[in-house]
Amino acid sequence: MSERTEIPEGARAEPEGEPVTDVASLPGGVPAAVEAVLLVVEEPVTELQLATALEVPVHQVQEALAELMTEYDGYTGQGPEPGPARRRGIELRNVAGGWRFYTRSEFAAVVGRFVLDGQSARLSQAALETLAVIAYRQPVSRSRVSAIRGVNVDSVVRTLVQRGLAADVATDPETGAVLYGTTPLFLERLGIGTVADLPKLSPHLPGLENLQDFDHTTY
């Protein structure tokens, strides 16, 4: 568990706009609300971001995270001492300064078999377009690829990673976002030595001459 953020006792992050529902009154309270948010995030989120979204003090988020970690690691929070419980297939990790759910490494083969089972060898048009953006703009985050393509690319990027055509190659030092690039298998499939051998885009796809305008955009 990370150290608590120094913030006055009882302080709340007050976002603009209409107040959200009092999460403490919902079934499961703050821990359940934190869990719900973490299930939909695309990248690790900080304790302050969670507190802001839920409109609760940061220390309540920290306590909820500790409770969730204990529960997912296979212990109950009931009684004076945690007791054994069913271990979950996912775990809560604190990585890159934020929190996110991940599948446990022990189940990598099971998850991989399910995801890859019955897949066609041919990539979809969406996958080809996403792979092209990654190839030409690498290293690049999923959010930036989404901005360029104008659609959410999370599932497509996962498919490319599973096929071995793309991989996470770095982490953005400012946002903590995972940055993706192409792999040796990608080069092998295209029959080229390096990404520098990729053909120029502008002669074939008019309108993409200003693709570099996305380089300094923050998402």
Side-chain angles (χ1 to χ4, degrees):
M1 185 67 185
S2 60
E3 295 183 0
R4 288 188 174 184
T5 304
E6 291 297 328
I7 189 168
E9 179 68 23
R12 293 172 181 261
E14 298 291 346
E16 297 179 355
E18 295 297 324
V20 298
T21 303
D22 180 11
V23 296
S25 65
L26 297 175
V30 176
V34 170
E35 181 180 41
V37 173
L38 290 176
L39 284 172
V40 299
V41 299
E42 299 178 4
E43 297 170 352
V45 293
T46 66
E47 294 161 1
L48 182 58
Q49 287 175 311
L50 289 168
T52 300
L54 302 179
E55 294 189 351
V56 298
V58 172
H59 74 83
Q60 288 190 17
V61 170
Q62 293 171 331
E63 292 167 358
L65 289 167
E67 181 178 330
L68 289 171
M69 285 185 68
T70 299
E71 180 180 343
Y72 279 90
D73 284 343
Y75 296 92
T76 66
Q78 302 174 352
E81 295 292 336
R86 180 174 60 86
R87 186 177 175 86
R88 305 293 185 85
I90 59 177
E91 62 182 334
L92 181 58
R93 298 183 197 166
N94 184 357
V95 296
W99 295 85
R100 189 180 181 187
F101 282 116
Y102 294 84
T103 56
R104 292 188 184 277
S105 58
E106 300 96 315
F107 302 101
V110 176
V111 174
R113 184 166 62 249
F114 171 78
V115 173
L116 297 175
D117 185 39
Q119 281 193 348
S120 170
R122 178 176 297 181
L123 291 175
S124 67
Q125 184 66 31
L128 289 172
E129 293 175 2
T130 301
L131 183 58
V133 175
I134 293 175
Y136 282 95
R137 307 315 304 164
Q138 61 184 305
V140 63
S141 67
R142 285 182 300 177
S143 58
R144 184 160 296 173
V145 177
S146 294
I148 294 173
R149 289 203 57 227
V151 296
N152 186 288
V153 299
D154 290 355
S155 62
V156 179
V157 171
R158 284 196 294 269
T159 296
L160 294 173
V161 171
Q162 291 155 5
R163 296 285 187 92
L165 298 172
D168 53 302
V169 296
T171 301
D172 188 303
E174 296 183 359
T175 66
V178 173
L179 302 179
Y180 293 89
T182 52
T183 65
L185 178 61
F186 168 80
L187 300 176
E188 179 184 337
R189 292 295 179 86
L190 265 66
I192 58 178
T194 69
V195 292
D197 297 328
L198 288 169
K200 299 298 182 182
L201 276 177
S202 52
H204 305 287
L205 300 172
L208 292 186
E209 299 89 348
N210 298 323
L211 192 60
Q212 66 274 9
D213 292 346
F214 290 92
D215 286 349
H216 304 296
T217 305
T218 300
Y219 302 101

